[in-house]
Amino acid sequence: MTSREKLHQELRHRIVSLSDVTERQNAGIHEDAFFVGRKMFMHIHPESFRGCDIQLAKDDQERVLAEGKARPHRWAPEAGYVTVIVHREEDLEPAMDLIRMSHRYFADKQNLSRMQHQ
């Protein structure tokens, strides 16, 4: 069985492996925050590894919640956030599916913004 710390480290490794992702620890109120460009698209709560809070496009958020793939975020559901709990190694890939969805959404928005400024 994989320890919570190992799961947390594996998840962080997978996230920073995505293109143009940077990690900032203790970014405001968020313990481990991950950015694509200047946009924080998700964060992890490592102190108890309660889970990942991931920001999605509103239509993706609604679909993911309806399909039971995530929980509603406690504090910022109106911003498109969902929460995913990673208890076991088997939870990593479903969590990464949502993280990749968020990453694509915000990376595409960033690329569109760059193109508009050229």
Side-chain angles (χ1 to χ4, degrees), residues 2-17 44 49 89 92-93 96:
T2 304
S3 73
R4 284 183 177 214
E5 179 61 28
K6 286 182 182 177
L7 282 172
H8 176 235
Q9 292 304 319
E10 176 62 23
L11 184 61
R12 286 175 64 214
H13 171 74
R14 291 182 187 197
I15 296 165
V16 297
S17 296
I44 297 175
F49 199 43
E89 199 167 340
L92 284 170
E93 197 51 40
M96 282 304 300

Side-chain angles (χ1 to χ4, degrees), residues 56-72 81-83 98:
L56 300 171
K58 290 297 251 178
D59 57 334
D60 289 333
Q61 177 198 36
E62 290 172 11
R63 183 176 45 77
V64 163
L65 291 173
E67 292 172 354
K69 293 181 178 179
R71 300 176 183 180
Y81 275 96
V82 297
T83 298
L98 301 182

Side-chain angles (χ1 to χ4, degrees), residues 15-16 18-24 33-38 41:
I15 296 165
V16 297
L18 298 171
S19 65
D20 299 321
V21 169
T22 57
E23 177 182 9
R24 295 185 202 147
F34 298 88
F35 292 76
V36 59
R38 294 172 40 198
F41 68 100

